[in-house]
Amino acid sequence: MLNLKSEAIKACVSGLADNVRAENIEYESYIELYSGAENINNINNRNNTVIYGRRGSGKTHLLKALEEKISIDLQTHKNFPIYIDIRRIVPLLSNEQGSQETNSILIFKYLMQELAHTLYLNIKHICDINEFDNKNGHLLEIKGRSLIEKLERIYLEFDGRKFNKPTSLTVSEEEIQSLGGAAKLSKSPELKVKSDSQKKVSGDKTLNSYISILDITNVIEGILETLSLKRITLMLDEWSEVELSTQIYLAEILKKSFSAIPVTLKIAAIPNRTNLGIKTDEKFFGLEDGGDIFGYPLDMRYVFEVNKLETRNFFNDLVYKHLMSIDSLSINSLLRDYKSNKEKLINVFLANVALNEILVASAGIPRDFMNLFINAYDKFLLSSGTSAKRISVKNLRSANSEWYETDKKEQIDKHPVERQLLTEIVKEVIENKKSIHFLVQEKHTKNKHMQNLIDFRVMHLRKKGYSHKDHSGTSYNVFSIDYGCYNSLNISKNKLDSSTLEDLNLKELREIRRISLEDIFFQNFLMEIGEAFSCPHCTKPIDTNHLAYIKQQMCNNCYEIVET
C-alpha cells in the first residue's frame, strides 16, 4: 500500500521541482499540464491581448498552451502561432548607450528575423506538405522560394540555414527620424510611414536605410497569401525585460506594422513594469489599453480570500496534473489506497488547516504554491513522527518562513526604502490592527515604492475600487501583506510556525473597511525618506515624485506653484 512517505511518492514530489518554471518543462503537452483551461479559451481570439501578471503567475505557461492550441487547429483555422521570448533579443543589443527609438527599432528588427525564421522552418507543417511525395516536393520548393523572396524585401538575408539582418542590425538616422521625428513624446509623438526606399552602399552590398512600415505590411500580407494562412498570432513573452522607456516606441512600431493586417499580438507583461502607450494632445502613441489591445490579468484570478472554492480547485488540479505527468501509476495507486479521487488529491497531502494556509500563503501565484508545496512536503518527511499522515500546519509554516527568507527577503534587503515602507505597514496593520488585509487610497497605490512591494510579491492586491464607510466618494484598493514577511521582519511576538491565522485576524474582505492607511501615513513616510517637503502654501507634504511637482512644480495637495 502506498502512503505519502513511500519512495515512489517521494520521487514524484521531488520531480515537481523541474516543473516550477514553464521554460524547464519537458512534458509533451503544455495544454495537458495547464490548470485553468478557461484562461486559454478567454485569450484564444483575434484581439490583441496583454496578459498581466507578476513573476510566477503562469504567463509563460499560458502562452505556450495557447501556442499549442492554435497549432492543433492550424489546418482548420489557418492561424499560425509564433512564440518569441524577448529575453533572447534584448541582450543582443549593443552595450553602447542608444536612444529609445534606436533600441525599439533594433528589437523590432530581431522580431522580424525570428518571425521569418519560424515561418521558414515550419513551411511544411503550415502548408500540410509531405516532402517525400515528388509532386509535393516541387510545391514545397516553389513555396520556399516565394517566401524567401518576400522576406528579402524586408531586408532579411538568407544563407540557406537562417535569416539575418545585414550589417549587424545597425540603425540609421533615417530610421530614428521615421519613428520619433522632431516631436516630443510628451507633446505629440508620431510615427511617419515611408513608402519610398532610400538606400546606402556599404562595401559590395546595397542596404536599406530605414524601416518602411508600408513595405513590411505588404510583405506580411503576401506571406499570408503564399502560405495560405488567414492569420499569424505573434506571442511576445517577457515584454517587461525591455527598458520601460523603450517599450512605448516598440509598441508604436507594432501598432503601425500590424494593426491593419491579420496579425494578432499576445503579450505577456508584469503590470508595474509595463508602458504600452501614452495619450498626447493630438493622438495616442503606442498601444492603447481597451482600444488597440485588451488587458487580461492573472494575479487576482485565484485568490483564496476572494474565491475559496475556485482557488482550491485550481491548485488541486495544478498538483494533480503535474504529479500525473511524472508518475501516473503511483499517483493513481495513492488515490486508490486512500479511497480518494483526483478532485481530492490535495486533501490527501495536506491537513485541512494546512490546506487553507497554503492557499492564503501562495497569494494566487502558482510558482509560489509549487515551491511551498515541495518544501512543506520535505518538512513533513524530516520532522513528522510515524503517526503523522499528512502535511501539518507546522510543516507548512516552517516551509513558508524558509521560502520567504530565500526568495523574497533578499530582494527586500537590497532596497532599503521598500524595506522601511514594508516595516511601517506591518507595524500598523498586523501589530496595531491585528489583520493582514488593509485598504489604501488608489492615489497612494501608484507610489513607486508600493508598486515595488507588489512586484516583490510581499504585498498582494486583492480587490480594486472598494469604498470606506467613513470616506464616501474615495476609491480604495484592498491589499494583503505576504503571509511570511512579518516573521522575517521580527515584528510579531511569535514566530510564524507558532502563531496562527486566527491571531492575525484573517477576515472576509467586506469586514476590513475600518483598516486603512490614509494620507498622513504616506506623507509621514515620504518626509522620513526625504521624498517630500512641506508646502509653503498649505503646509502639507509635497510628494516630489508626483507628476504635478515633476512637470509643473506644483503642490500635489493644493496645486499651487512652489518656487524651489
Side-chain angles (χ1 to χ4, degrees):
M1 176 177 178
L2 283 181
N3 59 50
L4 295 189
K5 295 184 179 181
S6 301
E7 292 302 316
I9 302 304
K10 289 180 185 178
C12 274
V13 177
S14 176
L16 287 177
D18 291 331
N19 289 9
V20 169
R21 296 187 64 90
E23 301 94 319
N24 298 332
I25 293 175
E26 294 182 349
Y27 194 64
E28 61 265 22
S29 172
Y30 279 97
I31 292 178
E32 289 182 14
L33 272 183
Y34 189 77
S35 296
E38 68 276 6
N39 293 322
I40 303 174
N41 296 330
N42 289 344
I43 67 168
N44 187 17
N45 51 51
R46 298 175 186 174
N47 295 328
N48 294 329
T49 308
V50 53
I51 303 160
Y52 288 116
R54 291 175 293 173
R55 297 203 180 279
S57 58
K59 301 184 297 297
T60 296
H61 198 160
L62 177 54
L63 282 185
K64 290 282 191 178
L66 177 62
E67 178 188 26
E68 186 178 330
K69 169 65 176 171
I70 295 173
S71 294
I72 292 171
D73 298 331
L74 173 62
Q75 299 308 323
T76 301
H77 300 301
K78 297 298 181 180
N79 178 13
F80 184 70
I82 298 176
Y83 171 89
I84 299 176
D85 187 335
I86 290 183
R87 290 176 300 183
R88 295 177 54 202
I89 295 173
V90 175
L92 297 176
L93 296 176
S94 169
N95 290 328
E96 298 177 6
Q97 186 173 2
S99 67
Q100 299 97 327
E101 297 97 326
T102 300
N103 290 342
S104 64
I105 294 168
L106 284 172
I107 293 170
F108 182 71
K109 287 181 171 181
Y110 278 116
L111 290 177
M112 288 298 96
Q113 181 179 323
E114 290 288 317
L115 181 147
H117 195 52
T118 303
L119 287 173
Y120 188 80
L121 288 178
N122 289 277
I123 190 170
K124 289 179 288 186
H125 175 55
I126 293 170
C127 298
D128 197 21
I129 293 175
N130 180 1
E131 62 180 314
F132 299 106
D133 186 305
N134 290 333
K135 186 184 301 183
N136 287 339
H138 181 62
L139 177 60
L140 178 63
E141 184 179 351
I142 294 174
K143 295 274 189 182
R145 282 203 307 265
S146 177
L147 179 60
I148 291 172
E149 177 188 326
K150 289 178 173 61
L151 292 171
E152 285 177 343
R153 288 174 51 195
I154 52 174
Y155 327 138
L156 289 171
E157 295 177 341
F158 184 64
D159 62 9
R161 293 173 301 168
K162 62 181 181 179
F163 290 89
N164 297 293
K165 295 292 294 188
T167 65
S168 301
L169 292 183
T170 57
V171 175
S172 70
E173 188 64 28
E174 290 94 335
E175 287 175 308
I176 297 173
Q177 290 177 355
S178 76
L179 177 59
K184 299 293 185 182
L185 182 59
S186 61
K187 186 178 180 181
S188 180
E190 57 185 39
L191 182 65
K192 298 176 182 178
V193 178
K194 297 196 174 191
S195 59
D196 57 334
S197 184
Q198 298 179 9
K199 295 183 179 180
K200 60 183 179 181
V201 177
S202 175
D204 60 352
K205 293 182 180 179
T206 301
L207 307 176
N208 294 85
S209 299
Y210 55 80
I211 291 177
S212 169
I213 302 298
L214 183 60
D215 282 353
I216 288 175
T217 55
N218 288 340
V219 167
I220 292 179
E221 284 188 305
I223 289 172
L224 290 167
E225 183 179 353
T226 296
L227 300 179
S228 301
L229 288 174
K230 294 180 179 178
R231 181 167 295 273
I232 290 173
T233 297
L234 183 59
M235 303 175 181
L236 304 181
D237 200 2
E238 302 290 349
W239 173 272
S240 300
E241 289 297 313
V242 178
E243 288 186 2
L244 204 61
S245 58
T246 299
Q247 290 179 23
I248 188 171
Y249 288 93
L250 180 58
E252 178 71 2
I253 296 176
L254 293 173
K255 179 172 72 174
K256 290 295 184 183
S257 300
F258 303 138
S259 60
I261 61 176
V263 174
T264 296
L265 293 171
K266 303 293 180 183
I267 297 173
I270 298 173
N272 302 325
R273 302 184 195 175
T274 300
N275 182 14
L276 291 176
I278 187 172
K279 180 72 170 67
T280 68
D281 294 339
E282 298 181 6
K283 59 169 286 186
F284 194 94
F285 188 83
L287 290 163
E288 184 175 7
D289 210 342
D292 304 309
I293 195 165
F294 297 89
Y296 189 78
L298 288 180
D299 276 347
M300 293 188 290
R301 290 192 66 82
Y302 305 109
V303 175
F304 187 66
E305 301 94 307
V306 179
N307 299 305
K308 287 184 171 59
L309 182 60
E310 292 86 346
T311 300
R312 182 252 173 230
N313 291 344
F314 171 80
F315 285 111
N316 180 82
D317 190 55
L318 181 75
V319 171
Y320 174 76
K321 285 182 175 179
H322 282 269
L323 288 177
M324 285 289 287
S325 75
I326 297 168
D327 186 350
S328 60
L329 290 177
S330 294
I331 297 304
N332 281 328
S333 296
L334 180 72
L335 290 172
R336 185 171 57 252
D337 292 341
Y338 274 76
K339 295 181 174 56
S340 188
N341 55 52
K342 67 178 185 179
E343 284 77 21
K344 296 181 179 179
L345 176 64
I346 201 170
N347 299 92
V348 171
F349 278 92
L350 289 145
N352 290 339
V353 178
L355 173 57
N356 285 351
E357 294 202 16
I358 195 174
L359 295 176
V360 172
S362 56
I365 304 295
R367 189 182 299 166
D368 284 1
F369 176 89
M370 291 280 277
N371 279 295
L372 283 174
F373 182 84
I374 294 168
N375 292 340
Y377 177 78
D378 184 55
K379 300 295 181 187
F380 162 74
L381 295 178
L382 292 174
S383 61
S384 298
T386 55
S387 61
K389 304 298 183 184
R390 294 183 292 178
I391 297 170
S392 69
V393 173
K394 184 176 180 179
N395 300 147
L396 187 278
R397 290 174 179 169
S398 177
N400 187 47
S401 179
E402 188 176 289
W403 169 243
Y404 181 87
E405 291 285 330
T406 58
D407 181 71
K408 300 177 183 180
K409 184 176 182 294
E410 185 177 348
Q411 285 194 81
I412 293 295
D413 287 344
K414 291 178 182 177
H415 299 81
V417 175
E418 280 70 19
R419 179 181 171 83
Q420 182 178 342
L421 176 58
L422 178 62
T423 301
E424 294 300 323
I425 292 175
V426 169
K427 284 181 179 178
E428 180 66 22
V429 175
I430 290 181
E431 195 170 66
N432 296 339
K433 300 294 180 64
K434 306 301 181 187
S435 177
I436 61 173
H437 292 95
F438 61 100
L439 298 174
V440 176
Q441 288 185 32
E442 285 189 346
K443 65 179 181 180
H444 295 306
T445 301
K446 297 176 183 178
N447 177 281
K448 67 177 182 179
H449 304 299
M450 274 292 292
Q451 295 286 340
N452 286 337
L453 291 180
I454 297 169
D455 281 349
F456 297 156
R457 307 193 321 283
V458 297
M459 206 68 65
H460 309 295
L461 179 63
R462 285 291 174 253
K463 209 167 187 63
K464 292 183 177 181
Y466 250 48
S467 59
H468 195 295
K469 62 181 181 181
D470 298 325
H471 301 280
S472 60
T474 301
S475 184
Y476 289 79
N477 291 337
V478 180
F479 287 90
S480 69
I481 299 170
D482 186 75
Y483 183 57
C485 72
Y486 57 88
N487 180 58
S488 172
L489 293 170
N490 297 318
I491 289 175
S492 63
K493 294 179 180 178
N494 300 317
K495 292 293 183 182
L496 181 63
D497 53 357
S498 63
S499 62
T500 65
L501 274 180
E502 288 73 23
D503 294 335
L504 296 176
N505 206 5
L506 176 62
K507 300 183 178 75
E508 296 289 340
L509 294 183
R510 63 176 178 271
E511 298 179 14
I512 67 167
R513 296 187 183 184
R514 66 178 182 84
I515 306 169
S516 63
L517 301 181
E518 298 296 335
D519 290 345
I520 189 66
F521 176 89
F522 288 98
Q523 289 170 354
N524 289 340
F525 170 72
L526 292 174
M527 291 288 281
E528 284 181 22
I529 65 174
E531 292 185 3
F533 63 92
S534 296
C535 174
H537 304 288
C538 67
T539 71
K540 293 182 179 180
I542 297 174
D543 182 356
T544 56
N545 295 313
H546 197 281
L547 287 178
Y549 179 77
I550 294 173
K551 289 189 172 184
Q552 299 182 5
Q553 298 293 293
M554 293 171 58
C555 172
N556 60 288
N557 300 297
C558 66
Y559 293 99
E560 292 288 340
I561 299 294
V562 179
E563 295 183 3
T564 56

